[in-house]
């Protein structure tokens, strides 16, 4: 009879099970859990490049679970739109398109762009992604039209919207003239990220999210 070391097999299964659990937790698949383990929190924190503290991640997880009504492990469009602070924004639908169907780990990664610890570049990058409706890497005339209509609603007619867009493109031409060589990349008429960064060079207030901690 051949002796088999079942303890070794059980040990390997235990390690494999632990790795699977950690992977699922980090990817947001254990949404029914009441809290993340220390290991889970550290992995999410690493994924966010240290933008959130341990307590902030635990607080975000509680909010994530409360929004994820069916414990799917991700947030749908309707669930995201139930956030009052987001729902009142004229660009809510665009922000939701960026955030929807993300698991907890990637949700934190995306949200970290709004952290006080995030760089100006990271905040601008997220804002650019919201404006880049068709996700082609440029803010085109069509993208601008969509964003302007979101911002002004029904307060302006089509002619007035077209006038705003024309002004914006004229300002872009002026920026290109003054900063020739600084904004590299072929845009085909659209606004590149480098140009977007130059346009907002004087902006002092960029989106910031503060995560409440210390209470349930």
């Amino acid at each position: 009879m051949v002796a088999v070391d079942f303890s070794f097999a059980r040990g390997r299964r235990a390690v494999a099970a632990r790795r699977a659990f950690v992977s699922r937790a980090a990817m947001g698949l254990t949404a029914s859990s009441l809290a993340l383990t220390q290991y889970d929190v550290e992995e999410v924190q690493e994924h966010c490049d240290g933008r959130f503290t341990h307590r902030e991640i635990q607080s975000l997880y509680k909010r994530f679970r409360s929004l994820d009504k069916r414990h799917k492990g991700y947030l749908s469009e309707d669930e995201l739109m139930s956030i009052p602070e987001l729902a009142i924004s004229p660009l809510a639908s665009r922000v939701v398109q960026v955030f929807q169907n993300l698991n907890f780990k990637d949700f934190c990664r995306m949200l970290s762009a709004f952290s006080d610890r995030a760089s100006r570049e990271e905040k601008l990058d997220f804002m650019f992604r919201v404006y880049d409706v068709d996700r082609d890497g440029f803010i085109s005339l069509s993208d601008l039209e969509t964003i302007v209509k979101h911002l002004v609603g029904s307060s302006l007619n089509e002619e007035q919207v077209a006038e705003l867009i024309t002004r914006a493109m004229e300002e872009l031409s002026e920026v290109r003239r003054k900063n020739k060589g600084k904004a590299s990349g072929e845009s085909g008429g659209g606004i590149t990220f480098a140009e977007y960064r130059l346009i907002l060079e004087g902006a002092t207030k960029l989106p910031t999210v503060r995560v409440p901690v210390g209470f349930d």
Side-chain angles (χ1 to χ4, degrees):
M1 179 178 293
V2 178
V4 178
D5 186 355
F6 287 104
S7 62
F8 174 73
R10 285 196 299 271
R12 287 198 306 179
R13 284 197 295 271
V15 171
R18 172 60 185 163
R19 285 177 179 169
F21 171 78
V22 170
S23 177
R24 287 172 63 85
M27 293 302 290
L29 299 178
T30 58
S32 59
S33 302
L34 293 177
L36 297 174
T37 66
Q38 180 72 9
Y39 190 102
D40 300 333
V41 172
E42 289 175 357
E43 188 157 342
V44 174
Q45 189 177 38
E46 182 179 354
H47 193 61
C48 299
D49 295 325
R51 300 291 183 251
F52 294 126
T53 66
H54 287 211
R55 292 179 67 195
E56 286 173 335
I57 290 172
Q58 290 285 12
S59 182
L60 285 171
Y61 186 62
K62 289 179 182 178
R63 185 71 183 272
F64 187 91
R65 286 185 62 254
S66 69
L67 291 169
D68 181 14
K69 303 298 183 184
R70 295 186 293 277
H71 305 298
K72 308 174 302 304
Y74 63 88
L75 299 180
S76 65
E77 180 178 355
D78 290 342
E79 288 166 340
L80 285 166
M81 288 300 289
S82 70
I83 302 173
E85 302 91 328
L86 175 59
I88 62 174
S89 169
L91 291 177
S93 61
R94 282 294 307 133
V95 175
V96 164
Q97 286 177 7
V98 176
F99 273 96
Q100 69 178 339
N101 300 329
L102 293 181
N103 56 52
F104 178 67
K105 184 177 179 180
D106 291 333
F107 175 82
C108 288
R109 172 74 175 184
M110 193 70 71
L111 195 61
S112 68
F114 296 110
S115 168
D116 286 335
R117 304 175 188 91
S119 68
R120 180 182 179 83
E121 189 88 354
E122 288 169 314
K123 293 179 186 293
L124 289 174
D125 179 68
F126 182 86
M127 292 165 64
F128 184 85
R129 292 174 64 178
V130 170
Y131 277 66
D132 180 16
V133 179
D134 57 11
R135 302 179 184 180
D136 64 351
F138 308 105
I139 301 175
S140 64
L141 283 172
S142 176
D143 294 333
L144 276 177
E145 183 177 1
T146 299
I147 294 300
V148 170
K149 286 182 176 179
H150 277 301
L151 291 171
V152 302
S154 58
S155 62
L156 298 180
N157 58 36
E158 292 289 332
E159 185 178 340
Q160 290 170 317
V161 168
E163 185 179 344
L164 279 176
I165 294 173
T166 299
R167 286 184 197 169
M169 296 312 294
E170 287 173 353
E171 289 179 13
L172 172 62
S173 296
E174 184 66 14
V175 168
R176 285 175 172 169
R177 186 185 66 80
K178 290 181 177 179
N179 299 279
K180 192 173 181 179
K182 287 187 181 179
S184 60
E186 198 64 42
S187 66
I191 302 171
T192 65
F193 176 68
E195 290 171 335
Y196 182 77
R197 188 173 50 203
L198 284 172
I199 291 169
L200 293 182
E201 201 167 32
T204 56
K205 290 186 178 180
L206 296 178
T208 299
V209 169
R210 290 179 176 81
V211 182
V213 295
F215 59 88
D216 295 329

